[in-house]
Amino acid sequence: MTTGIHDISAATGSLVFALADLAEHEGIDVGKYHRGIGQTEMSLTAEDEDIVTMAARAAAPIIERHGTEGLRTVIFATESGIDQSKAASVFLHRLLGLPRAVRVVEVKEACYSATAAIQFALGIVARRHDERVLVIASDVARYELNSSGEATQGAGAVAMLISENPAVLEIEPVSGVWTDDVWDFWRPNDRSTALVDGRYSVQVYLESLEGAWNDYRAHGGAEFSSFARVCYHQPFTRMAVKGQQRLARIADPDGESADIDRLADTVEYNARIGNSYTASIYLAFLSLLDNGPDLSGERIGFFSYGSGAVGEFFGGVLVPGYKSQLRTEELQSMLAARRPIGYDEYRHRHIAYDRVGDFETADETHGDVRFAGVEQHKRLYEAR
Ligand code: HMG
C-alpha cells in the first residue's frame, strides 16, 4: 500500500501589492526585492477574508471532486489563528458542508505545522485504509510597517487530501527531523504582526536544514542526487536558493544538485504571493506541478521549516498521470484576478487590520465564502 497526496488545491487573497511600489516609496533599488530576496508581489487579504475563507476557497474544489466519503479527519495548520480556543477547522467544517462524523483540529508550529499534519494524516490512513484526511495550511503573514520582514508579507492557503493509493504523490516513510528552542521569529498573543531577528532566522533555517538532512540520511533516506527537485519552505524565494546551495555542499559536493535552475519551477507562485507561512512549501510543490515538466515517477524532496524552530526533510515519488489532476488554470486566474492596490491603500489597510469589538466587514472578496464580521465576540462567516 502507498499513501500520500491524492489531491491538492490552493487559494490566495483577493488583493495584490507590488514590491516595486514599496521600493519606490522606500527610495531603494527594487533589485533588492526582485533579485535579492526573489519577490515581486505580495497577496493581501480583503477586509472580509482570513485564514478560514482562504482555506474554504482552497478546499472546496477537493470536496467537489471527491465528495466526503471516508473523510473523517480535518487538520488545519496555521500560525495566524483566529481564536485562542476554537479550531479554524470547526468554522471550515460548516462552510464545506462536511458530515457531523468528522474530527477536526488545529495544529501550530510556525511555518512547519502543515508537514506535521501530513505526517499525522499518513498515520491515520495507515491504520484505517478506507479513511481520507483533509489537511489545510492557511496563513496571513504580517510584519510591522518599515520592518525588515515587511517585503516578505503574503497570504495563501493549500488544501490536500491524504489517502492510500494517491493520485499525485506517494510519500516515502523516511523523515529527518530537527528541533531547537531559539528566538528567530515569533508572535506573542497580543500581536497580529510577527517579531523577527531576520538574519539570525536565515542562519537557523540553514542549520535546521543541515540537521534534518543528516537525520534523514541516518534513518536510511535517499541520496541527494536521486531527487529530481527539492521544494523548500520559501519565506522569500531566494531562501530556497540558499537552501539548495547549502544542501548540495554537504550532500553532493561534486554533483549538479547545486544548479539553481532546478528550483525555477518551484518559486513561481511564492514570488507572486509572498510568504504564506504553513502553505508556502506546498505552494512551492504546486508551482512545480503546475509549471514544471512532467516528472512522473521522479523523487521530489521537501524541506519544511518553522521558526522557533523545527525542520523536517522527507521525500515522495510523483505518480504517473498526476498532471491530469491539476487545476492550473484556476489558480492562475485567481492570481490574475487579484485587485492591485497602491502604497497609500496598502498602508491604510495594514494599520486598520486589527479591529476590536463588534463590526461588519465590507463585501470585497472574490471567493464564495466571506468573513462577515464579529458580533458579541463571535466571528461570522457566510457562504454565497
Ligand atoms: P535585509 O536584511 O533588509 O536585506 O532583509 P539584505 O540587506 O540582507 O538584502 C537581501 C539580499 O538582497 C542580499 O542578498 C543582498 O545582497 C541583496 P544575500 O546576501 O542574502 O544573497 N540585495 C540586492 N540584490 C540585487 N540588487 C540590489 C540589492 N540590494 C540588496 N539592489 C531579511 C533580509 C531576510 C532579514 C528580511 O527579508 C527579513 O527579515 N525577512 C523575514 C524573516 C525571514 O523571512 N527569514 C527567513 C528564514 S526564517 C523562516 O523561514 C520562517 C518564517 O517563514 C516564519 C515561520 O516559520 O513561521 C519567516
Side-chain angles (χ1 to χ4, degrees), residues 3 20 27 33 51 74 76 100 119-120 144 168 171 176 225 243 283 286 303 323 329 346 348 351 354 356:
T3 51
Y33 297 148
I51 56 163
V74 179
F76 198 119
R100 285 281 157 83
Q119 294 294 353
F120 301 158
E144 286 286 301
V168 176
I171 297 181
S225 56
L283 271 172
L286 198 50
F303 174 61
K323 282 267 184 191
E329 270 177 35
Y346 155 70
H348 173 76
I351 293 161
D354 293 314
V356 290

Side-chain angles (χ1 to χ4, degrees), residues 28-38 79 109-112 139 141 143 147-152 184-186 194 196-206 233-236 238-239 242 245 275-278 280 305-308 310:
I28 64 163
D29 178 3
V30 70
K32 173 172 176 178
Y33 297 148
H34 286 181
R35 293 188 304 282
I37 62 169
E79 66 176 287
E109 167 35 40
C111 302
Y112 162 73
D139 267 306
Y143 292 91
S147 69
S148 75
E150 182 178 3
T152 67
D184 62 330
F185 165 108
W186 66 104
V196 66
D197 185 341
R199 304 253 170 108
Y200 177 56
S201 73
V202 171
Q203 190 186 316
V204 183
Y205 177 114
L206 295 172
H233 165 54
Q234 294 172 9
F236 49 92
R238 190 77 196 158
M239 193 68 231
K242 292 178 193 286
Q245 286 168 339
N275 196 352
S276 55
Y277 291 159
T278 52
S280 155
Y305 176 76
S307 285
V310 178

Side-chain angles (χ1 to χ4, degrees), residues 117-379:
I118 290 173
Q119 294 294 353
F120 301 158
L122 292 169
I124 290 172
V125 173
R127 275 163 56 101
R128 299 283 311 183
H129 297 192
D130 54 342
E131 288 196 15
R132 297 176 299 165
V133 179
L134 183 63
V135 169
I136 313 272
S138 183
D139 267 306
V140 178
R142 301 187 73 244
Y143 292 91
E144 286 286 301
L145 294 173
N146 310 318
S147 69
S148 75
E150 182 178 3
T152 67
Q153 297 174 112
V158 175
M160 289 167 280
L161 191 63
I162 306 299
S163 77
E164 74 167 345
N165 298 325
V168 176
L169 182 81
E170 293 172 2
I171 297 181
E172 297 176 317
V174 182
S175 256
V177 289
W178 181 97
T179 292
D180 195 12
D181 179 1
V182 296
W183 291 96
D184 62 330
F185 165 108
W186 66 104
R187 184 170 67 81
N189 284 344
D190 57 351
R191 297 178 63 99
S192 71
T193 49
L195 297 169
V196 66
D197 185 341
R199 304 253 170 108
Y200 177 56
S201 73
V202 171
Q203 190 186 316
V204 183
Y205 177 114
L206 295 172
E207 270 171 35
S208 158
L209 171 60
E210 207 167 317
W213 171 258
N214 289 336
D215 188 55
Y216 173 75
R217 289 291 284 156
H219 284 82
E223 285 185 15
F224 193 52
S225 56
S226 73
F227 290 95
R229 300 285 190 281
V230 179
C231 299
Y232 292 86
H233 165 54
Q234 294 172 9
F236 49 92
T237 65
R238 190 77 196 158
M239 193 68 231
V241 174
K242 292 178 193 286
Q244 183 84 350
Q245 286 168 339
R246 171 68 68 99
L247 211 45
R249 202 162 66 231
I250 60 167
D252 187 24
D254 304 319
E256 291 172 3
S257 311
D259 178 4
I260 57 166
D261 287 348
R262 288 155 60 109
L263 293 171
D265 298 323
T266 73
V267 302
E268 289 195 25
Y269 292 151
N270 284 308
R272 299 179 61 193
I273 287 175
N275 196 352
S276 55
Y277 291 159
T278 52
S280 155
I281 178 178
Y282 299 103
L283 271 172
F285 178 49
L286 198 50
S287 177
L288 174 65
L289 299 181
D290 281 349
N291 304 304
D294 189 339
L295 295 171
S296 290
E298 299 277 4
R299 175 175 288 123
I300 307 298
F302 293 83
F303 174 61
S304 180
Y305 176 76
S307 285
V310 178
E312 179 160 347
F313 191 98
F314 66 98
V317 175
L318 284 168
V319 179
Y322 73 88
K323 282 267 184 191
S324 66
Q325 304 294 315
L326 305 176
R327 302 175 182 81
T328 309
E329 270 177 35
E330 282 87 332
L331 183 54
Q332 288 176 354
S333 307
M334 199 185 291
L335 287 169
R338 292 174 300 171
R339 182 169 76 76
I341 60 172
Y343 183 75
D344 291 342
E345 183 176 350
Y346 155 70
R347 301 262 310 185
H348 173 76
R349 283 179 180 270
H350 196 286
I351 293 161
Y353 187 87
D354 293 314
R355 297 172 77 172
V356 290
D358 288 357
F359 60 90
E360 282 179 22
T361 56
D363 191 341
E364 296 185 322
T365 180
H366 298 159
D368 290 338
V369 164
R370 57 184 300 276
F371 163 51
V374 173
E375 199 178 286
Q376 295 181 345
H377 301 286
K378 294 172 187 155
R379 288 177 85 84

Side-chain angles (χ1 to χ4, degrees), residues 5-45:
I5 300 175
H6 190 48
D7 198 357
I8 178 167
S9 161
T12 187
S14 292
L15 307 176
V16 61
F17 178 53
L19 292 187
D21 223 348
L22 184 62
E24 190 188 324
H25 282 85
E26 288 174 332
I28 64 163
D29 178 3
V30 70
K32 173 172 176 178
Y33 297 148
H34 286 181
R35 293 188 304 282
I37 62 169
Q39 295 300 128
T40 54
E41 297 170 339
M42 63 174 80
S43 275
L44 298 166
T45 47

